[in-house]
């Protein structure tokens, strides 16, 4: 084809190129248009030049007007998110100093089936490139050559380090528990003649940290350490609490109850007791739950008192350790207070207690077995144990000493963070400081990247704190390069076959919503799932998208449920609860807002959610190509479950969050 | 994995990120020129990035990274074209060859026009600038823009074309002026 004989004049040609190229960019190209554009560009140098200029201008215009919205974000590293110097913009006159251009002959008329082959560039020294036969080889996600694989290696190294730490921690912990066991043995040996203990009285410590109790009440709780805020009502062995003020009741699986009075710091060391570093507590066994009875063992020695058959663990004793004493309850009620000097004081309200003074200079907690270092205290007595291991006993004064014996009936219970079997992971976003999101349930932490900022207000269930995402590394509203996000890693567990994901979000005023990825496990197709805002041409609507397996190529498909709730609706200054579900059996996915069903979509029944190991992120997609980073607030609880909630369950959860918030507000008013 | 090899791999990763960060925009423009569709170009850009990382061991340090990356992208695009044999919208092989050659001849085209374009956009009348912003920045379709303006689709398309044409003329003038000044 001779271009000049068939092509229109320059302006007409320019308009035609523009028309065809813009139609192609927006996906409106017809078959005839495609042929025409192909012919024009291939055969006419002027048309080709115009076409390339149009493409370059389109790229530059898109970057200019939406610096945050498209993949050509040259100043951002794809993985690190750190700023990189932009490429220099050469001038025309400076071109002569540039390396020789790649001449036309450098792009051979390649047949793709010729792979593998070398790609030679005669004018520029080039590396040899060997490409795989078609189709392109899929990079195994675990490969070192894969960014994902590399990330995994990083996580694995991190996990190994953490495991080493946990191992050391376990050694320390077991040693510590063993010492307490030794202390009990010593106590019981000493008390054997008094019929209080018997052979084999050791504390059954476990290698893992099992659940040993639950939080059964909280009133006006303020926390001294945000890392020690109780986010799960079930308490594992080793859990620490740092209460600044207020009351918190712990009910052990043995049936024992402890009321912590702020300010205090307490660690649940075992199913049978804990360590009070400072502050005040009351320990008790309710009447009928822990009947004390002595039996004779087969060996003829007396056995420890048995606890209630209602209790789940067989434990005869309850012990509170302090910096200066070990106070062992023999089935009674008593209070313990530790002051700033480490002096321990115990009051006995019923039954008997053995108090043993510790030589605080002896860090191994070796007891002093002399008679003067151990005392039996009975009801109505007070024992004071000083740092030099002196024990003073006197009668309980009439005036109140400030110990709380019963929790107020209206105490708030942490109803939100139960741990049913379906709960894979939950984060409460309640830390309020630091760069790590610790899991309330599950074992996966999130690392904050860029300039994600803690806020001092949050959604109803976690009102004291939340996260703000600025989008860009500077945390500003107008610079959103997608570097402000929280990364949790590419765990398969986050993509179960069926799923429910729920979280809280709030917008700030005057924030544009253009296809922002709020959170999700999504990278390049096929992803797993994500929440976000649709493109403006789709109305900036809230959407929930899942990727499921399909029976035909490309063997996956995505489903998107779009709510009528738009970005503008979102900017109402309120926190909103957003949840999405996908049920493998029925193939139904659903999007919820504030407990109400907004939209559904249906896949072929039986198709599992795709579990490709993309990273789970808050605030953007995994890859930066089309990040449209989220700008606004995210709050907890954020959870992932391995089954689809019913509409009633979603609503119930949302209402529970509101009730919990109301209870907290009532407590604050008191 | 030894500490030394881990360190070496980290260095290599940093080198890749540095090079890719410098050239990704030009690479994206190259891909878009060969696959003139935003969504498809996005996918291919991501696929190319993964392939580049996979093949980075074969990249010789100090050589032209962008040219190397373009060649890989080029073959990936041809590979995809082969797979889409039934796609009636696919371009002829000569289209890809011609565009790749043209782009390789002036790889600086994108950056040459970038600065000039920025200056020219500032000179545009507000309504023309708004038109470009709606179309490229907000991703609004011509029909949406036409509906908002109360104009026909063809009139809006021509208005956009005239704007871009004016912009292209302005860019050309700016480049000529720049050349003259130096």
């Amino acid at each position: 084809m001779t271009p000049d004989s068939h092509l229109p004049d320059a302006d007409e040609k320019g308009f035609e190129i523009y028309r065809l190229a813009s139609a192609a960019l927006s996906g409106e190209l017809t078959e005839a248009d495609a042929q025409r554009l192909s012919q024009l560009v291939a055969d006419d140098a002027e048309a080709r030049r115009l076409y390339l200029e149009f493409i370059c201008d389109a790229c530059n215009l898109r970057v200019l007007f939406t610096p945050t919205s498209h993949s050509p974000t040259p100043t951002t590293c794809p993985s690190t998110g750190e700023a990189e110097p932009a490429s220099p913009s050469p001038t025309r006159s400076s071109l002569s100093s540039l390396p020789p251009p790649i001449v036309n002959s450098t792009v051979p008329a390649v047949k793709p089936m010729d792979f593998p082959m070398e790609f030679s560039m005669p004018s520029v020294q080039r590396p040899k490139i060997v490409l795989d036969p078609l189709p392109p080889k899929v990079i195994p996600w675990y490969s070192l050559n894969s960014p994902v694989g590399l990330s995994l290696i990083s996580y694995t190294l991190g996990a190994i380090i953490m495991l080493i730490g946990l191992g050391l921690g376990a050694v320390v912990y077991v040693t510590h528990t063993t010492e307490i066991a030794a202390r009990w043995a010593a106590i019981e040996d000493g008390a054997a003649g008094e019929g209080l203990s018997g052979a084999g009285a050791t504390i059954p410590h476990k290698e893992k940290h099992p659940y040993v109790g639950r939080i059964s009440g909280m009133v006006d709780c303020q926390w001294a350490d945000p890392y020690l805020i109780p986010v799960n009502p079930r308490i594992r062995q080793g859990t620490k609490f740092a209460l600044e003020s207020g009351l918190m009741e712990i009910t052990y699986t043995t049936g024992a109850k402890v009321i912590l009075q702020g300010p205090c710091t307490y660690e649940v060391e075992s199913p049978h007791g804990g360590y009070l570093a400072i502050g005040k507590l009351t320990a008790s066994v309710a009447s009928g739950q822990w009947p004390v009875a002595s039996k004779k063992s087969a060996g003829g020695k007396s056995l420890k008192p048995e606890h209630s058959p209602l209790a789940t663990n067989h434990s005869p004793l309850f012990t509170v350790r302090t910096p200066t004493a070990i106070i062992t309850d023999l089935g009674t009620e008593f209070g313990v207070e530790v002051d700033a000097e480490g002096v321990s004081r115990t009051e006995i309200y019923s039954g008997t207690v053995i108090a043993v003074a510790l030589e605080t200079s002896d860090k191994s907690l070796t007891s002093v077995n002399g008679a003067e270092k151990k005392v039996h205290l009975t009801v109505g007595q007070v024992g004071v144990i000083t740092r030099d291991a002196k024990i003073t006993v006197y009668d309980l004064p009439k005036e109140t000493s400030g110990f709380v014996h019963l929790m107020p009936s209206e105490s708030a219970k942490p109803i939100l963070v139960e741990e049913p079997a379906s709960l894979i992971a939950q984060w409460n976003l309640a830390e309020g400081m630091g760069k790590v999101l610790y899991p309330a349930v599950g074992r996966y932490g999130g690392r904050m990247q860029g300039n994600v900022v803690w806020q001092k207000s949050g959604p109803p269930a976690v009102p004291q704190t939340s996260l703000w995402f600025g989008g860009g590394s500077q945390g500003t509203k107008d610079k959103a390069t997608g570097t402000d996000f929280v990364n949790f890693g590419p765990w398969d567990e986050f993509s179960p076959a069926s799923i429910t994901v729920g979280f809280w979000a709030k917008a700030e005023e005057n924030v544009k919503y253009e296809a922002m990825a709020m959170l999700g496990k999504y990278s390049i197709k096929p992803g797993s799932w994500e929440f976000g805002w649709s493109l403006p041409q789709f109305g900036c609507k809230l959407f929930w998208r899942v990727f499921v397996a399909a029976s035909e190529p490309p063997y996956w498909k995505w489903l998107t449920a779009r709510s009528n709730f738009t970005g503008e609706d979102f900017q109402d200054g309120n926190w909103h609860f957003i949840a999405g579900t996908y049920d493998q059996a029925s193939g139904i996915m659903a999007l919820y807002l504030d407990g109400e069903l907004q939209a559904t979509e249906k896949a072929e029944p039986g198709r599992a959610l795709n579990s490709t190991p993309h990273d789970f992120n808050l605030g953007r997609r995994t890859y930066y190509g089309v990040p449209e980073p989220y700008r606004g607030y995210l709050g907890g609880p954020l959870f992932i479950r391995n089954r689809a909630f019913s509409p009633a369950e979603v609503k119930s959860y949302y209402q529970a969050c509101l009730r919990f918030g109301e209870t907290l507000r009532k407590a604050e008013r008191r | 994995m030894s500490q030394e090899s881990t360190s070496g791999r980290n260095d290599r990763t940093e080198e890749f990120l540095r090079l890719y960060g410098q050239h990704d925009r030009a690479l994206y423009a190259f891909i878009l020129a060969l696959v003139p569709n935003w969504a498809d170009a996005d996918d291919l850009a991501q696929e190319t990035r993964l392939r580049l990382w996979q093949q980075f061991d074969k990249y010789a340090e100090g050589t032209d990274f962008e040219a190397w990356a373009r060649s890989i992208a080029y073959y990936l695009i041809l590979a995809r074209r082969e797979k889409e044999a039934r796609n009636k919208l696919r371009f002829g092989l000569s289209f890809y060859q011609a565009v790749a050659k043209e782009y390789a001849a002036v790889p600086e085209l994108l950056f040459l026009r970038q600065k000039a374009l920025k200056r020219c956009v500032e000179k545009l009348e507000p309504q023309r600038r708004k038109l470009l912003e709606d179309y490229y920045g907000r991703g609004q379709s011509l029909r949406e823009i036409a509906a908002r303006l109360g104009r026909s689709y063809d009139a809006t398309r021509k208005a956009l074309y005239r704007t871009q044409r004016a912009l292209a003329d302005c860019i050309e003038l700016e480049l000529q002026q720049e050349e003259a000044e130096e």
Side-chain angles (χ1 to χ4, degrees):
Chain A
M1 177 181 173
T2 306
D4 289 343
S5 62
H6 294 279
L7 292 175
D9 63 36
D11 196 52
E12 286 177 352
K13 192 191 299 179
F15 179 70
E16 187 171 20
I17 287 290
Y18 154 78
R19 183 185 68 77
L20 294 171
S22 60
L25 283 183
S26 55
E28 296 172 351
L29 208 63
T30 65
E31 187 180 348
D33 286 344
Q35 286 179 2
R36 178 65 178 155
L37 180 62
S38 179
Q39 183 190 41
L40 272 173
V41 170
D43 295 348
D44 183 84
E46 174 67 7
R48 195 155 54 241
R49 183 186 64 80
L50 289 169
Y51 171 75
L52 278 182
E53 287 180 358
F54 172 84
I55 291 290
C56 287
D57 289 350
C59 276
N60 285 328
L61 281 167
R62 196 166 186 191
V63 171
L64 180 66
F65 287 116
T66 57
T68 66
S69 68
H70 201 55
S71 60
T73 46
T75 56
T76 305
C77 282
S79 296
T80 63
E82 293 174 0
E84 285 286 328
S87 301
S89 301
T91 62
R92 272 187 177 177
S93 56
S94 68
L95 289 182
S96 58
S97 63
L98 292 173
I102 302 164
V103 298
N104 296 353
S105 62
T106 59
V107 183
V110 180
K111 292 179 181 177
M113 294 309 290
D114 289 340
F115 297 127
M117 63 169 292
E118 288 185 11
F119 189 78
S120 60
M121 293 284 184
S123 61
V124 178
Q125 187 189 356
R126 295 182 174 285
K128 290 182 178 179
I129 301 162
V130 180
L131 294 177
D132 299 332
L134 293 174
K137 180 183 169 187
V138 176
I139 304 168
W141 63 269
Y142 47 79
S143 164
L144 280 176
N145 288 332
S146 153
V148 174
L150 197 65
S151 301
L152 190 61
I153 294 295
S154 304
Y155 280 107
T156 306
L157 287 173
I160 289 169
I161 292 166
M162 197 163 75
L163 283 173
I164 291 169
L166 285 173
L168 290 172
V171 169
V172 171
Y173 182 80
V174 168
T175 303
H176 173 76
T177 311
T178 308
E179 285 168 353
I180 293 180
R183 289 297 312 124
W184 274 355
I187 292 168
E188 287 156 359
D189 287 344
E194 302 168 38
L196 289 173
S197 65
T202 57
I203 302 171
H205 58 82
K206 297 181 180 178
E207 292 181 2
K208 294 182 179 178
H209 290 189
Y211 288 110
V212 295
R214 62 188 170 86
I215 299 171
S216 47
M218 292 197 297
V219 175
D220 294 345
C221 287
Q222 298 292 323
W223 305 99
D225 185 339
Y227 287 101
L228 301 179
I229 294 177
V231 290
N232 187 343
R234 297 180 67 187
I235 299 171
R236 287 186 188 274
Q237 186 170 299
T239 304
K240 267 187 181 177
F241 300 99
L243 197 59
E244 191 171 273
S245 62
L247 301 173
M248 188 179 86
E249 184 185 66
I250 297 170
T251 300
Y252 282 76
T253 50
T254 56
K257 286 180 185 287
V258 167
I259 297 174
L260 305 179
Q261 296 175 240
C264 87
T265 301
Y266 182 75
E267 178 179 352
V268 179
E269 290 186 321
S270 75
H272 320 287
Y275 175 67
L276 181 67
I278 193 167
K280 192 181 283 187
L281 66 75
T282 308
S284 65
V285 178
S287 176
Q289 283 196 329
W290 195 348
V292 177
S294 292
K295 291 183 180 176
K296 288 286 181 183
S297 69
K301 289 186 178 180
S302 63
L303 292 175
K304 301 161 288 189
E306 282 191 348
H307 68 138
S308 166
L310 296 175
T312 55
N313 280 359
H314 289 274
S315 171
L317 305 173
F318 188 85
T319 295
V320 175
R321 191 168 65 87
T322 74
T324 53
I326 292 178
I327 299 155
T328 303
D329 174 36
L330 303 177
T332 61
E333 181 184 9
F334 65 103
V336 182
E337 181 176 15
V338 178
D339 67 16
E341 301 297 321
V343 175
S344 304
R345 181 175 179 274
T346 179
E347 297 182 356
I348 316 305
Y349 308 118
S350 69
T352 305
V353 155
I354 297 176
V356 176
L358 299 173
E359 286 283 12
T360 53
S361 59
D362 183 353
K363 301 302 180 188
S364 68
L365 298 183
T366 302
S367 70
V368 180
N369 282 323
E372 73 279 9
K373 301 300 181 185
K374 181 179 72 181
V375 63
H376 284 209
L377 301 171
T378 58
V379 62
Q381 287 189 316
V382 175
V384 176
I385 303 99
T386 59
R387 292 192 75 86
D388 55 359
K390 286 184 180 173
I391 301 177
T392 307
V393 178
Y394 56 91
D395 290 338
L396 190 64
K398 289 181 180 177
E399 60 268 23
T400 175
S401 53
F403 284 94
V404 173
H405 299 263
L406 283 174
M407 290 290 282
S409 58
E410 68 272 28
S411 61
K413 295 185 179 180
I415 55 177
L416 292 174
V417 279
E418 298 165 359
E419 193 174 10
S422 71
L423 194 53
I424 296 169
Q426 178 166 309
W427 302 269
N428 289 293
L429 279 62
E431 288 82 351
M433 59 188 292
K435 285 286 184 184
V436 175
L437 297 189
Y438 292 97
V441 176
R443 56 198 173 97
Y444 304 107
R447 184 158 290 280
M448 293 157 65
Q449 310 282 348
N451 198 21
V452 181
V453 180
W454 287 108
Q455 299 294 306
K456 289 186 177 177
S457 63
V462 189
Q464 292 179 342
T465 186
S466 62
L467 286 173
W468 180 71
F469 294 76
S473 58
Q474 302 304 311
T476 57
K477 295 171 190 173
D478 56 349
K479 183 182 180 185
T481 53
T483 51
D484 291 355
F485 62 102
V486 182
N487 178 266
F488 290 86
W491 305 106
D492 287 347
E493 287 90 331
F494 295 167
S495 298
S498 298
I499 194 170
T500 300
V501 182
F503 63 102
W504 288 78
K506 188 180 88 164
E508 55 189 349
E509 289 182 3
N510 303 319
V511 174
K512 296 174 186 176
Y513 287 95
E514 295 173 354
M516 293 180 184
M518 298 172 80
L519 75 164
K521 190 167 179 275
Y522 180 94
S523 181
I524 196 169
K525 300 166 191 171
S528 291
W529 53 268
E530 68 170 343
F531 290 90
W533 298 93
S534 63
L535 290 164
Q537 53 262 45
F538 298 115
C540 293
K541 291 176 178 173
L542 173 68
F543 74 78
W544 157 239
R545 173 175 296 152
V546 299
F547 291 76
V548 296
S551 54
E552 295 177 350
Y555 301 109
W556 58 268
K557 66 182 294 187
W558 73 22
L559 300 170
T560 305
R562 287 192 181 88
S563 165
N564 284 326
F565 191 79
T566 69
E568 286 186 1
D569 300 328
F570 194 51
Q571 299 177 49
D572 61 0
N574 296 320
W575 281 95
H576 294 284
F577 178 63
I578 297 167
T581 65
Y582 173 72
D583 180 53
Q584 179 192 15
S586 64
I588 293 175
M589 65 177 294
L591 171 63
Y592 298 86
L593 181 78
D594 295 337
E596 299 295 335
L597 182 64
Q598 298 288 310
T600 59
E601 281 291 329
K602 192 173 186 309
E604 203 176 328
R607 302 291 175 185
L609 195 66
N610 179 48
S611 63
T612 305
H614 304 309
D615 281 7
F616 170 45
N617 286 331
L618 308 187
R620 75 160 193 181
R621 289 176 174 177
T622 295
Y623 76 100
Y624 88 124
V626 193
E628 290 94 13
Y630 175 66
R631 281 165 288 175
Y633 301 89
L634 289 180
L638 154 63
F639 66 81
I640 302 173
R641 292 171 189 258
N642 63 9
R643 70 176 180 86
F645 265 15
S646 68
E649 284 176 310
V650 173
K651 190 165 191 171
S652 171
Y653 188 91
Y654 168 69
Q655 290 172 340
C657 285
L658 296 183
R659 280 199 305 274
F660 187 69
E662 183 58 31
T663 309
L664 288 180
R665 281 191 289 277
K666 276 183 184 173
E668 284 168 7
R669 283 197 290 271
R670 279 200 300 272
Chain B
M1 185 183 293
S2 70
Q3 198 172 4
E4 194 175 338
S5 63
T6 306
S7 171
R9 180 160 289 280
N10 288 341
D11 291 346
R12 197 69 177 149
T13 305
E14 284 181 15
E15 177 68 1
F16 174 79
L17 295 176
R18 185 184 67 78
L19 287 168
Y20 188 81
Q22 284 179 359
H23 298 287
D24 68 338
R25 190 159 139 205
L27 185 62
Y28 185 86
F30 174 74
I31 291 170
L32 189 68
L34 291 168
V35 187
N37 178 283
W38 294 117
D40 291 345
D42 289 345
D43 283 354
L44 274 160
Q46 178 68 8
E47 199 175 336
T48 302
R49 178 186 165 207
L50 290 174
R51 182 57 65 93
L52 289 175
W53 171 245
Q54 187 187 26
Q55 304 256 347
F56 192 54
D57 288 344
K58 298 182 177 69
Y59 166 70
E61 200 171 345
T63 57
D64 187 342
F65 179 85
E66 190 185 323
W68 176 72
R70 274 205 309 272
S71 67
I72 287 184
Y74 181 73
Y75 286 133
L76 286 175
I77 290 165
L78 290 188
R80 176 175 283 202
R81 180 182 175 275
E82 281 295 310
K83 283 199 291 187
E84 295 175 345
R86 291 183 179 178
N87 184 354
K88 292 177 180 176
L89 296 180
R90 73 174 190 162
F91 300 129
L93 196 57
S94 57
F95 168 86
Y96 296 98
Q97 293 166 353
V99 171
K101 274 194 274 187
E102 185 81 19
Y103 194 96
V106 199
E108 308 80 16
L109 185 67
L110 182 78
F111 294 109
L112 275 174
R113 299 180 72 83
Q114 182 188 22
K115 275 187 178 177
L117 177 135
K118 202 169 181 179
R119 288 194 294 269
C120 290
V121 164
E122 288 167 3
K123 295 176 185 173
L124 283 176
E125 297 164 8
Q127 64 269 30
R128 287 194 174 198
R129 185 187 158 92
K130 178 77 166 54
L131 189 61
L132 290 176
E133 190 171 357
D134 285 347
Y135 186 74
Y136 286 102
R138 300 179 189 281
Q140 291 179 2
S141 67
L142 282 173
R143 294 188 195 286
E144 285 175 321
I145 296 171
R148 180 175 59 77
L149 297 176
R151 303 172 70 172
S152 70
Y153 173 80
D154 276 346
T156 308
R157 190 172 62 177
K158 283 180 180 170
L160 187 60
Y161 168 68
R162 281 194 293 272
T163 303
Q164 285 196 239
R165 184 76 196 188
L167 207 55
D169 291 343
C170 173
I171 290 169
E172 192 63 27
L173 282 173
E174 288 276 339
L175 292 175
Q176 285 174 9
Q177 192 176 350
E178 192 177 279
E179 196 169 25
E181 284 173 0
E182 292 191 7

